Amino acid sequence: GDGGATWTVEENQVGKTLHSLSIVGAENVWAVGDNRTIVYRDNTSTPISWVDKSLPGTDQFKHIFMNDANHGWIISNDISVSPTVPTLLWTSDSWQTVQAVSLPPGVGALSSIFFLPVTAPVSSIDGWAVGDVDTGTGEGTILYIHSDDLLSPGTVTKQTSGVLTDLSDIYFSDLNSGWAVGKNGTILFTSNGGTTWTPTTYSLPPLQRLEALAFNNGVGVTVGQGGVVVAKGGGVAPWVTISGAPRDNLNAIAFAPDGLNGWAVGEANTILNTSNGGISWGPAPGTYAGIFNGVSAITASDVWAVTSGKQIYHYNGSVWSLNTTLSGSGILKGVYFPNATYGWAVGKIGTNEVFYYNGSSWTSQGFCSTTTTMNSVYFIDGATPPTDSMGWAVGTGGTIGRTTNGGAPWTCQAVGGNPAVTWNSVYFVDASNGWVVGNSGKIYHTSNGGVNWSSQTSHTTATLYNVRFSDTNTGWAVGSGGVVVFTTDGGSTWTSQMSGTSQDLKGIAFFKDINNIVKDVWTVGSKLVPSGDPPLGGAILHTTTGGN
């Protein structure tokens, strides 16, 4: 009652899912939901109560719109069948009696209905409804509803939306000007009452489904999945994305030794940064583009990242900028810098899988295979020059590459049995003890620097994408479907941890406090959505209890 400064629970409809409200002044409020639920707010009672006026049946009442205190409409979807069968219900006596309105064939499941205000003297009523793709036309459903008066529901006819996607909400400011929104960031506009609809372009278009639409004096706002908010000013002002969670899947994460500065990288030009230990994340400063697959942080002002487009980017403490683009056809998958002087990137470009940075430039480094794609690289820092550094690279075909002198040369072996496993990540805690993880839940361990490898039982068949150990005993591996497995005995036994998500987890990072105790563990990945919907956004998960 005070503009949202405070909210109180006025009614608890236990066990009922409610989808929509319709308010005709403060005196007439209705809500509808699953299982043909209808409830009405009786403000004449003391205390105020909600009266159950539900109808028998199991259909989902998706949306309600009241023309006035007596006349109204409900979208009813029979979700027990596939495809969903929609119905429009109409009342002229506050839902004491209900009439089903005939719909054209092929109409998709309906989401929303809207009517222009009824003004006296009433000459006609005009409304529109939107929904999923029409099974006949293959286009998003838009219906036009017209009656010459309030004595009957009138007629319902199809309009041509022109888009092959589901629609969620619709609004008209007058008989001519209307907007509809839906899946894949769709915004439609009509200036002739819906005779023709035109897709509207806007800056930084999200791919999330836009769910709801509102206008006031020509100023519009639409909101949707992932917290996206798209708004337009009055007149011919464009639609502009003003808020929303990062849409794109995240592939890797790294923190500087201070535990405060971190970076998460992923698809579609995504580099996120935190400077407060992950309390908040935002786009990192600089100019960059591409699908980012790997990131390595040396310090808070010295960070490297690689892309599928063979690009290598560097952060200098102020901005990200392109360091180099490697020549040839291929992809970069991982990067690791053991110190500020030199580092390695891996992937497959032409017949080269490993690339070396000598402090000023990148060159390909002779590798023991020319047919595999390397997904991950890790080095134990030795004294400068880097010829004293031990390193490992892993990838397709069960290939594990090993070097004891900075990559001059590398030796390879196939590990994991037949059929060949794809290794996705490698990590060592010292010059002896290391682990690799890959598809089908495979984890292998070495205690002699990679000369010999032995299988460990992960108790999962999920693809494992990344592995990290804080010491020779304590480690985590993450993978598809939100899988996290954990060990406290060097991998002799692995147990599952509840990540709380079914999202694919791709990267891990951890931070130790001054007592060398793990304080924070991070993992990033992909948000899963219903089949056919685009990604919602990158997932970032954090634990301060070691995953407990």
Side-chain angles (χ1 to χ4, degrees):
D2 55 11
T6 57
W7 290 87
T8 58
V9 176
E10 187 170 274
E11 177 76 3
N12 184 8
Q13 292 289 330
V14 176
K16 296 181 179 179
T17 297
L18 301 175
H19 294 290
S20 172
L21 280 167
S22 185
I23 304 171
V24 183
E27 306 300 317
N28 199 286
V29 185
W30 299 80
V32 295
D34 288 351
N35 298 312
R36 295 171 69 90
T37 295
I38 306 177
V39 290
Y40 173 71
R41 185 178 186 267
D42 181 7
N43 64 350
T44 63
S45 64
T46 304
I48 291 174
S49 64
W50 287 74
V51 180
D52 192 336
K53 293 180 175 286
S54 300
L55 302 178
T58 59
D59 287 4
Q60 180 191 76
F61 281 178
K62 182 66 174 177
H63 198 220
I64 183 171
F65 191 101
M66 299 297 292
N67 301 113
D68 56 30
N70 297 311
H71 298 81
W73 302 75
I74 288 176
I75 288 174
S76 176
N77 290 321
D78 183 355
I79 58 177
S80 67
V81 296
S82 182
T84 297
V85 176
T87 305
L88 275 182
L89 303 179
W90 178 76
T91 186
S92 59
D93 55 10
S94 301
W95 303 108
Q96 295 183 60
T97 58
V98 178
Q99 179 177 334
V101 181
S102 178
L103 296 180
V107 170
L110 296 176
S111 299
S112 179
I113 189 169
F114 175 87
F115 282 84
L116 290 172
V118 176
T119 57
V122 174
S123 57
S124 65
I125 58 170
D126 295 275
W128 293 261
V130 293
D132 291 354
V133 168
D134 187 296
T135 58
T137 65
E139 297 182 353
T141 295
I142 302 181
L143 302 177
Y144 172 55
I145 305 142
H146 174 80
S147 178
D148 291 331
D149 50 45
L150 286 171
L151 300 179
S152 72
T155 59
V156 180
T157 56
K158 288 183 183 181
Q159 292 187 334
T160 302
S161 67
V163 291
L164 308 180
T165 190
D166 300 340
L167 298 174
S168 304
D169 201 8
I170 191 164
Y171 178 92
F172 271 74
S173 60
D174 53 47
L175 269 173
N176 295 313
S177 302
W179 294 263
V181 298
K183 198 171 177 180
N184 298 332
T186 298
I187 301 178
L188 301 177
F189 174 70
T190 181
S191 60
N192 54 19
T195 302
T196 57
W197 288 88
T198 305
T200 300
T201 58
Y202 55 101
S203 62
L204 303 175
L207 291 180
Q208 291 95 335
R209 178 172 181 145
L210 298 173
E211 297 281 8
L213 176 66
F215 268 82
N216 185 24
N217 294 324
V219 177
V221 176
T222 176
V223 298
Q225 292 176 337
V228 66
V229 180
V230 184
K232 81 176 293 296
V236 296
W239 289 89
V240 178
T241 302
I242 60 173
S243 179
R247 173 179 58 82
D248 301 296
N249 297 336
L250 298 174
N251 295 323
I253 185 171
F255 269 80
D258 60 13
L260 297 175
N261 290 275
W263 294 264
V265 302
E267 298 177 6
N269 319 323
T270 301
I271 302 181
L272 303 179
N273 168 241
T274 179
S275 59
N276 54 18
I279 295 173
S280 60
W281 294 81
T287 302
Y288 45 85
I291 298 173
F292 287 87
N293 295 318
V295 61
S296 179
I298 307 161
T299 67
S301 59
D302 193 359
V303 190
W304 295 83
V306 296
T307 78
S308 292
K310 306 167 297 179
Q311 297 163 320
I312 302 175
Y313 283 85
H314 181 243
Y315 177 70
N316 63 5
S318 298
V319 296
W320 283 88
S321 60
L322 180 64
N323 177 268
T324 189
T325 299
L326 299 179
S327 60
S329 175
I331 186 174
L332 290 175
K333 298 285 287 184
V335 62
Y336 187 73
F337 273 71
N339 57 41
T341 305
Y342 49 86
W344 286 262
V346 296
K348 182 172 178 56
I349 301 177
T351 58
N352 299 306
E353 283 91 357
V354 179
F355 304 86
Y356 168 63
Y357 183 72
N358 63 9
S360 60
S361 62
W362 290 87
T363 57
S364 61
Q365 196 170 54
F367 194 60
C368 40
S369 172
T370 59
T371 60
T372 58
T373 298
M374 292 292 101
N375 295 322
S376 175
V377 62
Y378 192 81
F379 268 80
I380 297 293
D381 190 19
T384 304
T387 51
D388 296 323
S389 292
M390 294 183 64
W392 303 264
V394 300
T396 59
T399 302
I400 299 180
R402 174 175 176 263
T403 180
T404 58
N405 54 9
W410 289 85
T411 59
C412 285
Q413 56 182 310
V415 177
N418 191 21
V421 63
T422 292
W423 296 118
N424 295 314
S425 178
V426 57
Y427 191 80
F428 274 72
V429 294
D430 53 37
S432 300
N433 290 281
W435 291 261
V436 293
V437 298
N439 61 301
S440 302
K442 290 191 176 183
I443 302 178
Y444 273 64
H445 169 249
T446 180
S447 59
N448 57 12
V451 176
N452 305 106
W453 294 85
S454 59
S455 175
Q456 295 184 336
T457 303
S458 66
H459 300 292
T460 181
T461 58
T463 296
L464 297 176
Y465 290 112
N466 214 304
V467 61
R468 287 292 184 270
F469 272 72
S470 59
D471 54 45
T472 55
N473 292 316
T474 309
W476 298 262
V478 297
S480 61
V483 165
V484 180
V485 291
F486 172 67
T487 182
T488 56
D489 56 13
S492 295
T493 55
W494 289 87
T495 58
S496 295
Q497 290 185 329
M498 297 298 294
S499 68
T501 182
S502 60
Q503 301 160 14
D504 290 345
L505 301 177
K506 299 288 185 70
I508 314 176
F510 63 82
F511 170 67
K512 293 182 178 181
D513 61 19
I514 58 175
N515 297 316
N516 205 36
I517 297 174
V518 173
K519 177 184 177 184
D520 301 275
V521 184
W522 299 84
T523 179
V524 298
S526 313
K527 280 194 176 180
L528 300 184
V529 295
S531 177
D533 280 4
L536 278 180
I540 304 178
L541 280 69
H542 176 225
T543 178
T544 58
T545 61
N548 292 325

